[in-house]
PDB file of all heavy atoms in Angstrom:
ATOM      1  N   GLY K  23      34.049  86.346 133.859  1.00 92.00           N
ATOM      2  CA  GLY K  23      32.813  85.730 133.416  1.00 92.00           C
ATOM      3  C   GLY K  23      32.895  84.260 133.077  1.00 92.00           C
ATOM      4  O   GLY K  23      31.882  83.668 132.681  1.00 92.00           O
ATOM      5  N   SER K  24      34.057  83.646 133.230  1.00 96.00           N
ATOM      6  CA  SER K  24      34.169  82.216 132.983  1.00 96.00           C
ATOM      7  C   SER K  24      33.442  81.438 134.072  1.00 96.00           C
ATOM      8  O   SER K  24      33.495  81.808 135.241  1.00 96.00           O
ATOM      9  CB  SER K  24      35.630  81.787 132.934  1.00 96.00           C
ATOM     10  OG  SER K  24      36.313  82.422 131.869  1.00 96.00           O
ATOM     11  N   THR K  25      32.790  80.349 133.700  1.00 98.00           N
ATOM     12  CA  THR K  25      32.028  79.545 134.642  1.00 98.00           C
ATOM     13  C   THR K  25      32.445  78.092 134.586  1.00 98.00           C
ATOM     14  O   THR K  25      32.950  77.603 133.568  1.00 98.00           O
ATOM     15  CB  THR K  25      30.522  79.644 134.370  1.00 98.00           C
ATOM     16  OG1 THR K  25      30.242  79.174 133.046  1.00 98.00           O
ATOM     17  CG2 THR K  25      30.034  81.070 134.509  1.00 98.00           C
ATOM     18  N   ASN K  26      32.207  77.398 135.689  1.00 98.00           N
ATOM     19  CA  ASN K  26      32.432  75.973 135.762  1.00 98.00           C
ATOM     20  C   ASN K  26      31.406  75.389 136.718  1.00 98.00           C
ATOM     21  O   ASN K  26      31.043  76.021 137.709  1.00 98.00           O
ATOM     22  CB  ASN K  26      33.847  75.656 136.233  1.00 98.00           C
ATOM     23  CG  ASN K  26      34.232  74.215 136.002  1.00 98.00           C
ATOM     24  OD1 ASN K  26      33.786  73.586 135.054  1.00 98.00           O
ATOM     25  ND2 ASN K  26      35.090  73.681 136.867  1.00 98.00           N
ATOM     26  N   TYR K  27      30.944  74.173 136.418  1.00 98.00           N
ATOM     27  CA  TYR K  27      29.896  73.523 137.197  1.00 98.00           C
ATOM     28  C   TYR K  27      30.279  72.104 137.555  1.00 98.00           C
ATOM     29  O   TYR K  27      30.970  71.424 136.798  1.00 98.00           O
ATOM     30  CB  TYR K  27      28.590  73.468 136.404  1.00 98.00           C
ATOM     31  CG  TYR K  27      28.011  74.801 136.036  1.00 98.00           C
ATOM     32  CD1 TYR K  27      28.363  75.434 134.848  1.00 98.00           C
ATOM     33  CD2 TYR K  27      27.109  75.437 136.881  1.00 98.00           C
ATOM     34  CE1 TYR K  27      27.832  76.662 134.508  1.00 98.00           C
ATOM     35  CE2 TYR K  27      26.568  76.667 136.546  1.00 98.00           C
ATOM     36  CZ  TYR K  27      26.934  77.272 135.360  1.00 98.00           C
ATOM     37  OH  TYR K  27      26.398  78.495 135.026  1.00 98.00           O
ATOM     38  N   ALA K  28      29.782  71.661 138.688  1.00 98.00           N
ATOM     39  CA  ALA K  28      29.860  70.249 139.009  1.00 98.00           C
ATOM     40  C   ALA K  28      29.023  69.462 138.009  1.00 98.00           C
ATOM     41  O   ALA K  28      27.970  69.924 137.558  1.00 98.00           O
ATOM     42  CB  ALA K  28      29.347  69.991 140.422  1.00 98.00           C
ATOM     43  N   ASP K  29      29.489  68.271 137.655  1.00 98.00           N
ATOM     44  CA  ASP K  29      28.761  67.459 136.685  1.00 98.00           C
ATOM     45  C   ASP K  29      27.322  67.184 137.128  1.00 98.00           C
ATOM     46  O   ASP K  29      26.409  67.097 136.295  1.00 98.00           O
ATOM     47  CB  ASP K  29      29.489  66.136 136.452  1.00 98.00           C
ATOM     48  CG  ASP K  29      30.762  66.294 135.647  1.00 98.00           C
ATOM     49  OD1 ASP K  29      30.930  67.331 134.977  1.00 98.00           O
ATOM     50  OD2 ASP K  29      31.594  65.362 135.685  1.00 98.00           O
ATOM     51  N   SER K  30      27.104  67.066 138.411  1.00 97.00           N
ATOM     52  CA  SER K  30      25.794  66.728 138.928  1.00 97.00           C
ATOM     53  C   SER K  30      24.751  67.822 138.725  1.00 97.00           C
ATOM     54  O   SER K  30      23.550  67.547 138.791  1.00 97.00           O
ATOM     55  CB  SER K  30      25.882  66.384 140.418  1.00 97.00           C
ATOM     56  OG  SER K  30      26.395  67.476 141.152  1.00 97.00           O
ATOM     57  N   VAL K  31      25.185  69.056 138.484  1.00 98.00           N
ATOM     58  CA  VAL K  31      24.245  70.161 138.317  1.00 98.00           C
ATOM     59  C   VAL K  31      24.292  70.774 136.925  1.00 98.00           C
ATOM     60  O   VAL K  31      23.464  71.643 136.615  1.00 98.00           O
ATOM     61  CB  VAL K  31      24.477  71.262 139.367  1.00 98.00           C
ATOM     62  CG1 VAL K  31      24.477  70.677 140.768  1.00 98.00           C
ATOM     63  CG2 VAL K  31      25.772  72.018 139.099  1.00 98.00           C
ATOM     64  N   LYS K  32      25.208  70.337 136.105  1.00 98.00           N
ATOM     65  CA  LYS K  32      25.373  70.903 134.768  1.00 98.00           C
ATOM     66  C   LYS K  32      24.087  70.742 133.960  1.00 98.00           C
ATOM     67  O   LYS K  32      23.502  69.663 133.903  1.00 98.00           O
ATOM     68  CB  LYS K  32      26.548  70.227 134.070  1.00 98.00           C
ATOM     69  CG  LYS K  32      27.109  70.986 132.892  1.00 98.00           C
ATOM     70  CD  LYS K  32      28.423  70.355 132.409  1.00 98.00           C
ATOM     71  CE  LYS K  32      29.502  70.434 133.465  1.00 98.00           C
ATOM     72  NZ  LYS K  32      30.799  69.861 132.991  1.00 98.00           N
ATOM     73  N   GLY K  33      23.657  71.828 133.351  1.00 98.00           N
ATOM     74  CA  GLY K  33      22.426  71.825 132.581  1.00 98.00           C
ATOM     75  C   GLY K  33      21.196  72.176 133.389  1.00 98.00           C
ATOM     76  O   GLY K  33      20.143  72.452 132.804  1.00 98.00           O
ATOM     77  N   ARG K  34      21.298  72.153 134.704  1.00 98.00           N
ATOM     78  CA  ARG K  34      20.172  72.483 135.575  1.00 98.00           C
ATOM     79  C   ARG K  34      20.388  73.780 136.340  1.00 98.00           C
ATOM     80  O   ARG K  34      19.437  74.517 136.588  1.00 98.00           O
ATOM     81  CB  ARG K  34      19.919  71.351 136.579  1.00 98.00           C
ATOM     82  CG  ARG K  34      19.588  70.015 135.930  1.00 98.00           C
ATOM     83  CD  ARG K  34      19.162  68.993 136.982  1.00 98.00           C
ATOM     84  NE  ARG K  34      20.248  68.686 137.908  1.00 98.00           N
ATOM     85  CZ  ARG K  34      20.183  68.875 139.225  1.00 98.00           C
ATOM     86  NH1 ARG K  34      19.082  69.365 139.774  1.00 98.00           N
ATOM     87  NH2 ARG K  34      21.213  68.554 139.994  1.00 98.00           N
ATOM     88  N   PHE K  35      21.630  74.050 136.739  1.00 98.00           N
ATOM     89  CA  PHE K  35      21.961  75.242 137.514  1.00 98.00           C
ATOM     90  C   PHE K  35      22.706  76.235 136.638  1.00 98.00           C
ATOM     91  O   PHE K  35      23.484  75.852 135.758  1.00 98.00           O
ATOM     92  CB  PHE K  35      22.859  74.897 138.703  1.00 98.00           C
ATOM     93  CG  PHE K  35      22.208  74.092 139.792  1.00 98.00           C
ATOM     94  CD1 PHE K  35      20.957  73.520 139.636  1.00 98.00           C
ATOM     95  CD2 PHE K  35      22.873  73.911 140.995  1.00 98.00           C
ATOM     96  CE1 PHE K  35      20.368  72.776 140.640  1.00 98.00           C
ATOM     97  CE2 PHE K  35      22.297  73.172 142.011  1.00 98.00           C
ATOM     98  CZ  PHE K  35      21.051  72.601 141.846  1.00 98.00           C
ATOM     99  N   THR K  36      22.512  77.518 136.908  1.00 98.00           N
ATOM    100  CA  THR K  36      23.225  78.578 136.213  1.00 98.00           C
ATOM    101  C   THR K  36      23.746  79.593 137.218  1.00 98.00           C
ATOM    102  O   THR K  36      22.970  80.131 138.015  1.00 98.00           O
ATOM    103  CB  THR K  36      22.328  79.292 135.195  1.00 98.00           C
ATOM    104  OG1 THR K  36      21.817  78.350 134.251  1.00 98.00           O
ATOM    105  CG2 THR K  36      23.118  80.355 134.441  1.00 98.00           C
ATOM    106  N   ILE K  37      25.047  79.845 137.187  1.00 98.00           N
ATOM    107  CA  ILE K  37      25.637  80.870 138.034  1.00 98.00           C
ATOM    108  C   ILE K  37      25.788  82.149 137.213  1.00 98.00           C
ATOM    109  O   ILE K  37      26.147  82.105 136.038  1.00 98.00           O
ATOM    110  CB  ILE K  37      26.990  80.407 138.624  1.00 98.00           C
ATOM    111  CG1 ILE K  37      27.484  81.396 139.682  1.00 98.00           C
ATOM    112  CG2 ILE K  37      28.029  80.184 137.541  1.00 98.00           C
ATOM    113  CD1 ILE K  37      28.665  80.876 140.497  1.00 98.00           C
ATOM    114  N   SER K  38      25.502  83.274 137.829  1.00 97.00           N
ATOM    115  CA  SER K  38      25.642  84.561 137.174  1.00 97.00           C
ATOM    116  C   SER K  38      26.078  85.598 138.194  1.00 97.00           C
ATOM    117  O   SER K  38      26.099  85.328 139.395  1.00 97.00           O
ATOM    118  CB  SER K  38      24.336  84.981 136.483  1.00 97.00           C
ATOM    119  OG  SER K  38      23.280  85.110 137.424  1.00 97.00           O
ATOM    120  N   ARG K  39      26.422  86.771 137.718  1.00 95.00           N
ATOM    121  CA  ARG K  39      26.929  87.805 138.618  1.00 95.00           C
ATOM    122  C   ARG K  39      26.482  89.185 138.184  1.00 95.00           C
ATOM    123  O   ARG K  39      26.131  89.414 137.023  1.00 95.00           O
ATOM    124  CB  ARG K  39      28.461  87.755 138.655  1.00 95.00           C
ATOM    125  CG  ARG K  39      29.070  88.112 137.308  1.00 95.00           C
ATOM    126  CD  ARG K  39      30.559  88.131 137.314  1.00 95.00           C
ATOM    127  NE  ARG K  39      31.059  88.620 136.028  1.00 95.00           N
ATOM    128  CZ  ARG K  39      32.315  88.883 135.765  1.00 95.00           C
ATOM    129  NH1 ARG K  39      33.232  88.692 136.699  1.00 95.00           N
ATOM    130  NH2 ARG K  39      32.665  89.332 134.566  1.00 95.00           N
ATOM    131  N   ASP K  40      26.514  90.100 139.138  1.00 92.00           N
ATOM    132  CA  ASP K  40      26.353  91.519 138.883  1.00 92.00           C
ATOM    133  C   ASP K  40      27.557  92.181 139.542  1.00 92.00           C
ATOM    134  O   ASP K  40      27.569  92.393 140.754  1.00 92.00           O
ATOM    135  CB  ASP K  40      25.041  92.042 139.458  1.00 92.00           C
ATOM    136  CG  ASP K  40      24.786  93.495 139.107  1.00 92.00           C
ATOM    137  OD1 ASP K  40      25.744  94.235 138.838  1.00 92.00           O
ATOM    138  OD2 ASP K  40      23.606  93.903 139.110  1.00 92.00           O
ATOM    139  N   ASN K  41      28.573  92.481 138.754  1.00 87.00           N
ATOM    140  CA  ASN K  41      29.816  93.013 139.306  1.00 87.00           C
ATOM    141  C   ASN K  41      29.619  94.363 140.002  1.00 87.00           C
ATOM    142  O   ASN K  41      30.285  94.652 140.996  1.00 87.00           O
ATOM    143  CB  ASN K  41      30.866  93.153 138.206  1.00 87.00           C
ATOM    144  CG  ASN K  41      31.440  91.827 137.771  1.00 87.00           C
ATOM    145  OD1 ASN K  41      31.280  90.805 138.441  1.00 87.00           O
ATOM    146  ND2 ASN K  41      32.130  91.828 136.634  1.00 87.00           N
ATOM    147  N   ALA K  42      28.725  95.184 139.482  1.00 88.00           N
ATOM    148  CA  ALA K  42      28.483  96.488 140.088  1.00 88.00           C
ATOM    149  C   ALA K  42      27.935  96.366 141.499  1.00 88.00           C
ATOM    150  O   ALA K  42      28.147  97.248 142.335  1.00 88.00           O
ATOM    151  CB  ALA K  42      27.532  97.304 139.220  1.00 88.00           C
ATOM    152  N   LYS K  43      27.222  95.285 141.770  1.00 91.00           N
ATOM    153  CA  LYS K  43      26.626  95.054 143.087  1.00 91.00           C
ATOM    154  C   LYS K  43      27.395  94.040 143.921  1.00 91.00           C
ATOM    155  O   LYS K  43      26.985  93.743 145.044  1.00 91.00           O
ATOM    156  CB  LYS K  43      25.182  94.593 142.937  1.00 91.00           C
ATOM    157  CG  LYS K  43      24.273  95.593 142.258  1.00 91.00           C
ATOM    158  CD  LYS K  43      22.861  95.050 142.136  1.00 91.00           C
ATOM    159  CE  LYS K  43      21.943  96.056 141.462  1.00 91.00           C
ATOM    160  NZ  LYS K  43      20.565  95.523 141.308  1.00 91.00           N
ATOM    161  N   ASN K  44      28.497  93.508 143.380  1.00 92.00           N
ATOM    162  CA  ASN K  44      29.259  92.453 144.056  1.00 92.00           C
ATOM    163  C   ASN K  44      28.342  91.320 144.509  1.00 92.00           C
ATOM    164  O   ASN K  44      28.422  90.839 145.643  1.00 92.00           O
ATOM    165  CB  ASN K  44      30.048  93.014 145.238  1.00 92.00           C
ATOM    166  CG  ASN K  44      31.247  93.830 144.810  1.00 92.00           C
ATOM    167  OD1 ASN K  44      31.784  93.650 143.720  1.00 92.00           O
ATOM    168  ND2 ASN K  44      31.688  94.733 145.670  1.00 92.00           N
ATOM    169  N   THR K  45      27.487  90.896 143.607  1.00 95.00           N
ATOM    170  CA  THR K  45      26.484  89.893 143.909  1.00 95.00           C
ATOM    171  C   THR K  45      26.574  88.737 142.920  1.00 95.00           C
ATOM    172  O   THR K  45      26.767  88.949 141.723  1.00 95.00           O
ATOM    173  CB  THR K  45      25.077  90.503 143.876  1.00 95.00           C
ATOM    174  OG1 THR K  45      24.985  91.529 144.869  1.00 95.00           O
ATOM    175  CG2 THR K  45      24.016  89.455 144.160  1.00 95.00           C
ATOM    176  N   VAL K  46      26.432  87.529 143.435  1.00 96.00           N
ATOM    177  CA  VAL K  46      26.402  86.335 142.615  1.00 96.00           C
ATOM    178  C   VAL K  46      25.072  85.628 142.842  1.00 96.00           C
ATOM    179  O   VAL K  46      24.511  85.670 143.943  1.00 96.00           O
ATOM    180  CB  VAL K  46      27.600  85.409 142.921  1.00 96.00           C
ATOM    181  CG1 VAL K  46      27.529  84.863 144.342  1.00 96.00           C
ATOM    182  CG2 VAL K  46      27.686  84.276 141.910  1.00 96.00           C
ATOM    183  N   TYR K  47      24.567  84.977 141.791  1.00 98.00           N
ATOM    184  CA  TYR K  47      23.299  84.279 141.842  1.00 98.00           C
ATOM    185  C   TYR K  47      23.495  82.833 141.421  1.00 98.00           C
ATOM    186  O   TYR K  47      24.408  82.498 140.667  1.00 98.00           O
ATOM    187  CB  TYR K  47      22.280  84.923 140.905  1.00 98.00           C
ATOM    188  CG  TYR K  47      22.089  86.401 141.126  1.00 98.00           C
ATOM    189  CD1 TYR K  47      22.831  87.332 140.401  1.00 98.00           C
ATOM    190  CD2 TYR K  47      21.179  86.873 142.061  1.00 98.00           C
ATOM    191  CE1 TYR K  47      22.666  88.688 140.603  1.00 98.00           C
ATOM    192  CE2 TYR K  47      21.001  88.224 142.270  1.00 98.00           C
ATOM    193  CZ  TYR K  47      21.747  89.129 141.537  1.00 98.00           C
ATOM    194  OH  TYR K  47      21.578  90.482 141.740  1.00 98.00           O
ATOM    195  N   LEU K  48      22.615  81.985 141.903  1.00 98.00           N
ATOM    196  CA  LEU K  48      22.566  80.607 141.452  1.00 98.00           C
ATOM    197  C   LEU K  48      21.115  80.262 141.149  1.00 98.00           C
ATOM    198  O   LEU K  48      20.303  80.123 142.067  1.00 98.00           O
ATOM    199  CB  LEU K  48      23.138  79.650 142.497  1.00 98.00           C
ATOM    200  CG  LEU K  48      23.261  78.193 142.050  1.00 98.00           C
ATOM    201  CD1 LEU K  48      24.316  78.052 140.954  1.00 98.00           C
ATOM    202  CD2 LEU K  48      23.600  77.283 143.232  1.00 98.00           C
ATOM    203  N   GLN K  49      20.796  80.156 139.868  1.00 98.00           N
ATOM    204  CA  GLN K  49      19.474  79.724 139.438  1.00 98.00           C
ATOM    205  C   GLN K  49      19.465  78.210 139.394  1.00 98.00           C
ATOM    206  O   GLN K  49      20.248  77.601 138.664  1.00 98.00           O
ATOM    207  CB  GLN K  49      19.135  80.297 138.066  1.00 98.00           C
ATOM    208  CG  GLN K  49      17.779  79.873 137.529  1.00 98.00           C
ATOM    209  CD  GLN K  49      16.633  80.426 138.337  1.00 98.00           C
ATOM    210  OE1 GLN K  49      16.625  81.601 138.669  1.00 98.00           O
ATOM    211  NE2 GLN K  49      15.663  79.580 138.656  1.00 98.00           N
ATOM    212  N   MET K  50      18.578  77.601 140.158  1.00 98.00           N
ATOM    213  CA  MET K  50      18.515  76.149 140.279  1.00 98.00           C
ATOM    214  C   MET K  50      17.176  75.677 139.739  1.00 98.00           C
ATOM    215  O   MET K  50      16.125  75.992 140.299  1.00 98.00           O
ATOM    216  CB  MET K  50      18.692  75.714 141.733  1.00 98.00           C
ATOM    217  CG  MET K  50      19.976  76.230 142.370  1.00 98.00           C
ATOM    218  SD  MET K  50      20.243  75.562 144.035  1.00 98.00           S
ATOM    219  CE  MET K  50      18.878  76.328 144.898  1.00 98.00           C
ATOM    220  N   ASN K  51      17.220  74.926 138.654  1.00 98.00           N
ATOM    221  CA  ASN K  51      16.028  74.377 138.025  1.00 98.00           C
ATOM    222  C   ASN K  51      16.052  72.859 138.102  1.00 98.00           C
ATOM    223  O   ASN K  51      17.086  72.248 138.322  1.00 98.00           O
ATOM    224  CB  ASN K  51      15.936  74.816 136.567  1.00 98.00           C
ATOM    225  CG  ASN K  51      15.832  76.308 136.392  1.00 98.00           C
ATOM    226  OD1 ASN K  51      15.237  77.002 137.215  1.00 98.00           O
ATOM    227  ND2 ASN K  51      16.399  76.817 135.299  1.00 98.00           N
ATOM    228  N   SER K  52      14.894  72.255 137.887  1.00 98.00           N
ATOM    229  CA  SER K  52      14.767  70.801 137.888  1.00 98.00           C
ATOM    230  C   SER K  52      15.409  70.190 139.125  1.00 98.00           C
ATOM    231  O   SER K  52      16.178  69.229 139.049  1.00 98.00           O
ATOM    232  CB  SER K  52      15.386  70.214 136.614  1.00 98.00           C
ATOM    233  OG  SER K  52      14.769  70.740 135.459  1.00 98.00           O
ATOM    234  N   LEU K  53      15.078  70.735 140.270  1.00 98.00           N
ATOM    235  CA  LEU K  53      15.716  70.314 141.512  1.00 98.00           C
ATOM    236  C   LEU K  53      15.365  68.873 141.862  1.00 98.00           C
ATOM    237  O   LEU K  53      14.248  68.412 141.623  1.00 98.00           O
ATOM    238  CB  LEU K  53      15.330  71.244 142.647  1.00 98.00           C
ATOM    239  CG  LEU K  53      16.072  72.586 142.638  1.00 98.00           C
ATOM    240  CD1 LEU K  53      15.342  73.620 143.476  1.00 98.00           C
ATOM    241  CD2 LEU K  53      17.500  72.397 143.140  1.00 98.00           C
ATOM    242  N   LYS K  54      16.345  68.192 142.433  1.00 98.00           N
ATOM    243  CA  LYS K  54      16.222  66.799 142.834  1.00 98.00           C
ATOM    244  C   LYS K  54      16.433  66.674 144.336  1.00 98.00           C
ATOM    245  O   LYS K  54      17.097  67.518 144.940  1.00 98.00           O
ATOM    246  CB  LYS K  54      17.272  65.948 142.107  1.00 98.00           C
ATOM    247  CG  LYS K  54      17.227  66.044 140.596  1.00 98.00           C
ATOM    248  CD  LYS K  54      18.389  65.270 139.977  1.00 98.00           C
ATOM    249  CE  LYS K  54      18.375  65.364 138.468  1.00 98.00           C
ATOM    250  NZ  LYS K  54      19.517  64.614 137.871  1.00 98.00           N
ATOM    251  N   PRO K  55      15.910  65.623 144.960  1.00 98.00           N
ATOM    252  CA  PRO K  55      16.145  65.435 146.395  1.00 98.00           C
ATOM    253  C   PRO K  55      17.628  65.434 146.764  1.00 98.00           C
ATOM    254  O   PRO K  55      17.980  65.919 147.846  1.00 98.00           O
ATOM    255  CB  PRO K  55      15.496  64.081 146.681  1.00 98.00           C
ATOM    256  CG  PRO K  55      14.394  63.992 145.682  1.00 98.00           C
ATOM    257  CD  PRO K  55      14.949  64.626 144.434  1.00 98.00           C
ATOM    258  N   GLU K  56      18.478  64.923 145.891  1.00 97.00           N
ATOM    259  CA  GLU K  56      19.901  64.894 146.177  1.00 97.00           C
ATOM    260  C   GLU K  56      20.555  66.270 146.146  1.00 97.00           C
ATOM    261  O   GLU K  56      21.725  66.410 146.515  1.00 97.00           O
ATOM    262  CB  GLU K  56      20.644  63.939 145.230  1.00 97.00           C
ATOM    263  CG  GLU K  56      20.329  64.161 143.765  1.00 97.00           C
ATOM    264  CD  GLU K  56      19.276  63.213 143.230  1.00 97.00           C
ATOM    265  OE1 GLU K  56      18.242  63.019 143.908  1.00 97.00           O
ATOM    266  OE2 GLU K  56      19.469  62.659 142.132  1.00 97.00           O
ATOM    267  N   ASP K  57      19.822  67.301 145.719  1.00 98.00           N
ATOM    268  CA  ASP K  57      20.316  68.669 145.806  1.00 98.00           C
ATOM    269  C   ASP K  57      20.145  69.264 147.200  1.00 98.00           C
ATOM    270  O   ASP K  57      20.629  70.367 147.455  1.00 98.00           O
ATOM    271  CB  ASP K  57      19.600  69.567 144.791  1.00 98.00           C
ATOM    272  CG  ASP K  57      19.883  69.183 143.352  1.00 98.00           C
ATOM    273  OD1 ASP K  57      21.053  68.879 143.033  1.00 98.00           O
ATOM    274  OD2 ASP K  57      18.940  69.201 142.540  1.00 98.00           O
ATOM    275  N   THR K  58      19.449  68.556 148.075  1.00 98.00           N
ATOM    276  CA  THR K  58      19.223  69.041 149.429  1.00 98.00           C
ATOM    277  C   THR K  58      20.552  69.226 150.154  1.00 98.00           C
ATOM    278  O   THR K  58      21.357  68.293 150.246  1.00 98.00           O
ATOM    279  CB  THR K  58      18.329  68.078 150.209  1.00 98.00           C
ATOM    280  OG1 THR K  58      17.033  68.041 149.603  1.00 98.00           O
ATOM    281  CG2 THR K  58      18.187  68.518 151.661  1.00 98.00           C
ATOM    282  N   ALA K  59      20.789  70.424 150.666  1.00 98.00           N
ATOM    283  CA  ALA K  59      22.047  70.753 151.333  1.00 98.00           C
ATOM    284  C   ALA K  59      21.973  72.179 151.844  1.00 98.00           C
ATOM    285  O   ALA K  59      21.053  72.934 151.507  1.00 98.00           O
ATOM    286  CB  ALA K  59      23.231  70.611 150.375  1.00 98.00           C
ATOM    287  N   VAL K  60      22.952  72.543 152.651  1.00 98.00           N
ATOM    288  CA  VAL K  60      23.190  73.949 152.949  1.00 98.00           C
ATOM    289  C   VAL K  60      24.109  74.490 151.869  1.00 98.00           C
ATOM    290  O   VAL K  60      25.169  73.918 151.606  1.00 98.00           O
ATOM    291  CB  VAL K  60      23.812  74.144 154.338  1.00 98.00           C
ATOM    292  CG1 VAL K  60      24.103  75.624 154.583  1.00 98.00           C
ATOM    293  CG2 VAL K  60      22.883  73.607 155.418  1.00 98.00           C
ATOM    294  N   TYR K  61      23.696  75.563 151.243  1.00 98.00           N
ATOM    295  CA  TYR K  61      24.455  76.169 150.166  1.00 98.00           C
ATOM    296  C   TYR K  61      25.206  77.383 150.697  1.00 98.00           C
ATOM    297  O   TYR K  61      24.626  78.256 151.343  1.00 98.00           O
ATOM    298  CB  TYR K  61      23.535  76.572 149.016  1.00 98.00           C
ATOM    299  CG  TYR K  61      23.088  75.395 148.186  1.00 98.00           C
ATOM    300  CD1 TYR K  61      22.210  74.451 148.694  1.00 98.00           C
ATOM    301  CD2 TYR K  61      23.575  75.213 146.887  1.00 98.00           C
ATOM    302  CE1 TYR K  61      21.827  73.356 147.945  1.00 98.00           C
ATOM    303  CE2 TYR K  61      23.190  74.127 146.127  1.00 98.00           C
ATOM    304  CZ  TYR K  61      22.319  73.195 146.662  1.00 98.00           C
ATOM    305  OH  TYR K  61      21.937  72.112 145.901  1.00 98.00           O
ATOM    306  N   TYR K  62      26.508  77.430 150.414  1.00 98.00           N
ATOM    307  CA  TYR K  62      27.384  78.479 150.903  1.00 98.00           C
ATOM    308  C   TYR K  62      27.975  79.277 149.757  1.00 98.00           C
ATOM    309  O   TYR K  62      28.422  78.708 148.759  1.00 98.00           O
ATOM    310  CB  TYR K  62      28.539  77.892 151.711  1.00 98.00           C
ATOM    311  CG  TYR K  62      28.133  77.189 152.982  1.00 98.00           C
ATOM    312  CD1 TYR K  62      27.867  75.830 152.989  1.00 98.00           C
ATOM    313  CD2 TYR K  62      28.028  77.893 154.171  1.00 98.00           C
ATOM    314  CE1 TYR K  62      27.501  75.182 154.143  1.00 98.00           C
ATOM    315  CE2 TYR K  62      27.663  77.248 155.341  1.00 98.00           C
ATOM    316  CZ  TYR K  62      27.403  75.892 155.322  1.00 98.00           C
ATOM    317  OH  TYR K  62      27.046  75.252 156.479  1.00 98.00           O
ATOM    318  N   CYS K  63      28.008  80.571 149.930  1.00 98.00           N
ATOM    319  CA  CYS K  63      28.671  81.465 148.992  1.00 98.00           C
ATOM    320  C   CYS K  63      30.127  81.634 149.405  1.00 98.00           C
ATOM    321  O   CYS K  63      30.442  81.713 150.595  1.00 98.00           O
ATOM    322  CB  CYS K  63      27.964  82.817 148.995  1.00 98.00           C
ATOM    323  SG  CYS K  63      28.650  84.046 147.883  1.00 98.00           S
ATOM    324  N   ASN K  64      31.008  81.683 148.425  1.00 97.00           N
ATOM    325  CA  ASN K  64      32.428  81.888 148.659  1.00 97.00           C
ATOM    326  C   ASN K  64      32.941  82.953 147.703  1.00 97.00           C
ATOM    327  O   ASN K  64      32.527  83.008 146.544  1.00 97.00           O
ATOM    328  CB  ASN K  64      33.196  80.582 148.445  1.00 97.00           C
ATOM    329  CG  ASN K  64      34.692  80.758 148.548  1.00 97.00           C
ATOM    330  OD1 ASN K  64      35.379  80.950 147.542  1.00 97.00           O
ATOM    331  ND2 ASN K  64      35.215  80.689 149.759  1.00 97.00           N
ATOM    332  N   ALA K  65      33.840  83.801 148.199  1.00 96.00           N
ATOM    333  CA  ALA K  65      34.414  84.846 147.359  1.00 96.00           C
ATOM    334  C   ALA K  65      35.907  84.957 147.589  1.00 96.00           C
ATOM    335  O   ALA K  65      36.372  84.948 148.734  1.00 96.00           O
ATOM    336  CB  ALA K  65      33.750  86.192 147.634  1.00 96.00           C
TER     337      ALA K  65
END
């Protein structure tokens, strides 16, 4: 359950997980144009 964030998204994005479902989420708030990208999941 330990988390770490890039400085550019700290305070705006939240990563969470559901271990039973092997699923990870990324809640992205206060989005900025510089957040535009292809987002990839890694495990």
